[in-house]
Amino acid sequence: MKVTEHIVKAKKSLFSFEILPPLRGCDIQDIFSTLDPLMEFHPPFIDVTYHREEFIYVEKENGLLQRKKISRRPGTVGICAAIMNKYRIDAVPHLICGGFNKQMTENALIDLNFLGINNVLVLRGDPLKSEKNFIAPKDGHKYAVELVKQVKNLNVGKYLDTTFLEKKESPLFDFCIGVAGYPEKHLEAPNMESDLFFLKKKVEAGADYIVTQMFFDNKKFFSFVKKCRSKGISIPIIPGIKPISSRNQLNGLPSRFYLNIPNELVKEVEKAKNKKNVIHVGIEWAIHQSKELKNSGVKVIHYYTMDRPENIYKIVQAIY
Ligand code: FAD
């Protein structure tokens, strides 16, 4: 079922989860161990992030460093298929512009279609650590909006090249397309107005719903929804929640994602005596956020598990 269908059918707030593929060399069992307990909350869908190849340096026998390009977390599509097979629920693979040319994207979408996956979250991807700004791949896309258009084209049967098409009549694809939205603006956007302008372009190109970046102040989310609606963005907006789990995140998250952490939360984290107490503060804050979102009638709350499913379990258990 499509994400938008889940939203339409939801009689009360639903809880979806986002997981990362395990690190290279790990087992699919790691994913199942993450998800098994969360299944108690009947998630309508599970998102699986995509991680492009990065340059890493490995030491050779002679002591010199060698630069290698490698994805440390491969397996997004396989994991989605495994989730659908094991739990009989929908999986949403993330599809990014970074590292893909248009043909590779088309082939990936064909794979997804053959696997019965009809949801995708379409993103640009971040710049590589070695890049200052995002560099579009050769023959690829520079912005998520272009990728939305490519998926939408396939939905109406428009392939990149018709020369080798066996059948030309009916479209085979029917992807439901999600895109990212930023309640406190995307870090590269010069201002909120500009970011909303380009968010609307993604909607006009065919996005069906929006999932937000994490935020720690619900007022930011409510105000974002209001601004979107005033700009004519009427598709569903799913709030994304991540609990703080370490003191370092007080500085790390704002610098990496361009977001504010309310002073009250900062003080609570600083007061916490040890890691366990910091985690407790993060969970309690996220429970408070989730309750308010639920009471406001939000149809789906999306949780970033970030390899910490036990924290997410406690949050959803408190509001389920
Ligand atoms: P875009 O919508 O392309 O926007 C990028 C920037 O360009 C914005 O500042 C926007 O205002 C601006 N812009 C857009 N269009 C134009 C235009 N035509 N002209 C000029 N400026 C423009 N990253 C991953 O690598 N893998 C993942 O699995 C992943 N999952 C994510 C899930 C969620 C819910 C979110 C919120 C983010 C995720 N990310 C992921 C991170 C995401 O890739 C980054 O935030 C990235 O920097 C921007 O992606 P985007 O799709 O929002 O880009």
Side-chain angles (χ1 to χ4, degrees):
M1 208 155 95
K2 293 176 177 177
V3 168
T4 44
E5 290 171 326
H6 285 291
I7 294 172
V8 168
K9 287 192 177 161
K11 293 203 171 64
K12 52 180 189 161
S13 296
L14 304 173
F15 308 104
S16 61
F17 305 109
E18 180 164 315
I19 57 164
L20 278 63
L23 289 165
R24 184 177 283 275
C26 296
D27 204 66
I28 185 78
Q29 198 49 50
D30 295 354
I31 294 295
F32 298 149
S33 309
T34 297
L35 291 178
D36 281 349
L38 296 174
M39 286 303 137
E40 188 181 319
F41 309 120
H42 304 288
F45 55 88
I46 303 290
D47 274 53
V48 185
T49 57
Y50 188 90
H51 300 260
R52 66 185 285 197
E53 291 181 323
E54 284 276 356
F55 287 111
I56 54 158
Y57 289 89
V58 282
E59 198 175 327
K60 291 197 293 184
E61 274 176 19
N62 60 10
L64 292 175
L65 289 179
Q66 186 185 13
R67 198 164 91 131
K68 280 197 170 179
K69 208 173 186 194
I70 193 160
S71 168
R72 303 195 66 200
R73 291 185 183 270
T76 300
V77 175
I79 292 168
C80 285
I83 288 172
M84 290 175 71
N85 191 35
K86 182 170 160 77
Y87 300 109
R88 302 281 159 206
I89 60 170
D90 290 300
V92 184
H94 292 189
L95 193 65
I96 64 170
C97 304
F100 279 77
N101 64 33
K102 291 175 194 162
Q103 197 60 62
M104 288 158 75
T105 296
E106 185 168 285
N107 293 347
L109 288 163
I110 291 171
D111 277 344
L112 296 178
N113 181 54
F114 286 164
L115 285 167
I117 296 171
N118 60 355
N119 290 290
V120 279
L121 188 72
V122 166
L123 303 141
R124 187 196 70 182
D126 284 321
L128 291 177
K129 287 192 188 94
S130 51
E131 293 170 356
K132 198 159 170 256
N133 300 307
F134 179 81
I135 300 172
K138 190 167 180 289
D139 299 323
H141 302 299
K142 190 171 178 194
Y143 295 109
V145 64
E146 297 162 13
L147 187 47
V148 172
K149 283 180 191 161
Q150 184 176 4
V151 180
K152 205 65 194 170
N153 276 343
L154 271 179
N155 276 357
V156 293
K158 270 195 213 161
Y159 288 76
L160 292 170
D161 187 338
T162 52
T163 325
F164 303 106
L165 276 187
E166 193 59 27
K167 289 185 180 174
K168 295 188 181 164
E169 318 88 58
S170 57
L172 295 167
F173 301 82
D174 189 16
F175 285 106
C176 173
I177 305 170
V179 291
Y182 302 83
E184 300 179 65
K185 95 168 182 67
H186 182 253
L187 80 168
E188 293 163 28
N191 53 55
M192 192 62 169
E193 191 69 16
S194 158
D195 209 24
L196 286 172
F197 175 83
F198 290 119
L199 177 59
K200 190 161 182 206
K201 293 279 171 217
K202 291 194 276 194
V203 178
E204 286 165 353
D208 296 298
Y209 69 98
I210 295 165
V211 185
T212 77
Q213 181 58 279
M214 67 184 85
F215 56 88
F216 295 92
D217 179 353
N218 284 353
K219 281 201 238 49
K220 307 271 180 195
F221 173 74
F222 294 130
S223 149
F224 173 69
V225 174
K226 222 169 152 187
K227 283 181 198 146
C228 286
R229 301 305 181 224
S230 75
K231 300 277 175 206
I233 298 172
S234 57
I235 59 175
I237 303 178
I238 299 177
I241 295 289
K242 181 199 132 53
I244 293 267
S245 58
S246 78
R247 209 177 289 258
N248 289 345
Q249 289 174 347
L250 292 184
N251 301 110
L253 294 176
S255 68
R256 190 155 168 228
F257 298 107
Y258 193 84
L259 47 82
N260 281 275
I261 303 185
N263 214 24
E264 202 186 330
L265 176 56
V266 174
K267 279 193 199 148
E268 288 295 316
V269 172
E270 281 170 350
K271 257 198 297 180
K273 288 197 183 79
N274 51 36
K275 175 128 183 113
K276 208 171 142 205
N277 290 359
V278 172
I279 290 176
H280 178 73
V281 168
I283 290 173
E284 287 301 313
W285 189 271
I287 290 174
H288 172 74
Q289 277 194 279
S290 304
K291 275 186 182 159
E292 196 181 26
L293 290 166
K294 191 178 168 199
N295 291 340
S296 77
V298 162
K299 288 288 185 78
V300 179
I301 308 179
H302 188 67
Y303 291 93
Y304 296 106
T305 64
M306 301 285 203
D307 284 344
R308 294 196 164 270
E310 64 285 2
N311 299 351
I312 304 299
Y313 181 90
K314 286 181 187 154
I315 298 162
V316 183
Q317 191 186 37
I319 56 160
Y320 191 65

